[in-house]
Amino acid sequence: AQSVTQPDIHITVSEGASLELRCNYSYGATPYLFWYVQSPGQGLQLLLKYFSGDTLVQGIKGFEAEFKRSQSSFNLRKPSVHWSDAAEYFCAVALPTSGTYKYIFGTGTRLKVLA
Amino acid sequence: SQTIHQWPATLVQPVGSPLSLECTVEGTSNPNLYWYRQAAGRGLQLLFYSVGIGQISSEVPQNLSASRPQDRQFILSSKKLLLSDSGFYLCAWSVRAGLGYTFGSGTRLTVV
């Protein structure tokens, strides 16, 4: 069955440090992949997406992600974390279904940023 | 530009009471519409999606139902709430092709 795994439930980094959030997916075909960010009590905001082409994709807020087919991974990175990046991050894969796509989400990684 | 509205933002309901959550989209036509539920520590679970008026697909058998009475309106309902229905409910829309969701701001439902 298709699935998305985010192995880190919580991550704590110091402000200014680099960040990598892991995401692994299980899907037989070429995946459409997404990273979303959620601030407490809010909806989800799209950070970036991968459909095809260049495997390194740039997103908003200085985030980037790299698609590695051989590792079935789509890890999110940021070279220098800001305190405002503290939030929960969700990786998702879009699966084709009747007339649309449904998203399978990982369980999320909660990021804490130390001043 | 397109916007999506969800209300109410928070709701506290007793067990056994009915539920109606509404989601509307502005600035687009024929959107695909979705209801997700987010339970603590469990990520987001797709509940229902709709590709047109009156067309509802259910992903998970449960105590909830969905309806789409108008093109840009999507309603999540229950006749009798259970404690397990508590959670954060998110509505989303996408263009017809379905790739690229835009989420609403969510409704926090607490069943007591």
Side-chain angles (χ1 to χ4, degrees):
Chain A
Q2 302 91 348
S3 64
V4 175
T5 302
Q6 293 180 248
D8 303 306
I9 298 174
H10 298 278
I11 281 187
T12 300
V13 299
S14 298
E15 192 171 19
S18 64
L19 172 70
E20 182 169 30
L21 303 182
R22 295 183 290 166
C23 172
N24 293 96
Y25 66 89
S26 173
Y27 183 56
T30 300
Y32 299 123
L33 296 161
F34 305 81
W35 274 100
Y36 283 84
V37 60
Q38 184 182 33
S39 297
Q42 300 298 313
L44 276 71
Q45 181 184 22
L46 178 66
L47 285 176
L48 47 78
K49 59 191 176 187
Y50 171 78
F51 289 172
S52 64
D54 192 347
T55 56
L56 184 63
V57 294
Q58 303 296 321
I60 63 171
K61 305 184 179 187
F63 285 93
E64 66 178 26
E66 186 171 12
F67 170 60
K68 292 185 177 180
R69 184 186 302 276
S70 61
Q71 299 177 21
S72 298
S73 68
F74 189 56
N75 294 348
L76 182 71
R77 302 193 295 246
K78 187 170 184 178
S80 178
V81 171
H82 187 263
W83 64 266
S84 60
D85 293 324
E88 190 156 21
Y89 292 80
F90 292 92
C91 181
V93 61
L95 306 178
T97 186
S98 307
T100 185
Y101 288 83
K102 59 181 182 182
Y103 284 21
I104 304 298
F105 284 87
T107 51
T109 298
R110 186 170 297 278
L111 174 65
K112 182 178 180 180
V113 180
L114 301 177
Chain B
S1 62
Q2 303 92 352
T3 56
I4 179 169
H5 302 281
Q6 256 189 269
W7 67 91
T10 59
L11 190 60
V12 180
Q13 293 284 97
V15 169
S17 64
L19 172 74
S20 180
L21 302 181
E22 189 163 343
C23 172
T24 60
V25 180
E26 295 179 357
T28 188
S29 297
N30 303 315
N32 291 343
L33 297 170
Y34 312 85
W35 278 110
Y36 279 81
R37 177 169 59 199
Q38 184 177 21
R42 296 183 62 185
L44 289 90
Q45 180 184 42
L46 177 63
L47 302 176
F48 302 94
Y49 65 92
S50 171
V51 299
I53 296 174
Q55 301 179 57
I56 307 296
S57 297
S58 174
E59 285 293 298
V60 183
Q62 58 207 322
N63 186 42
L64 302 169
S65 62
S67 61
R68 186 170 176 173
Q70 301 180 43
D71 180 47
R72 290 170 288 179
Q73 184 184 31
F74 204 25
I75 297 172
L76 184 69
S77 304
S78 174
K79 293 182 178 178
K80 289 185 177 181
L81 283 169
L82 306 173
L83 287 174
S84 57
D85 292 324
S86 294
F88 192 54
Y89 289 82
L90 287 158
C91 181
W93 76 274
S94 71
V95 297
R96 265 303 178 208
L99 278 174
Y101 286 8
T102 298
F103 283 88
S105 55
T107 296
R108 171 73 59 191
L109 172 65
T110 303
V111 182
V112 297

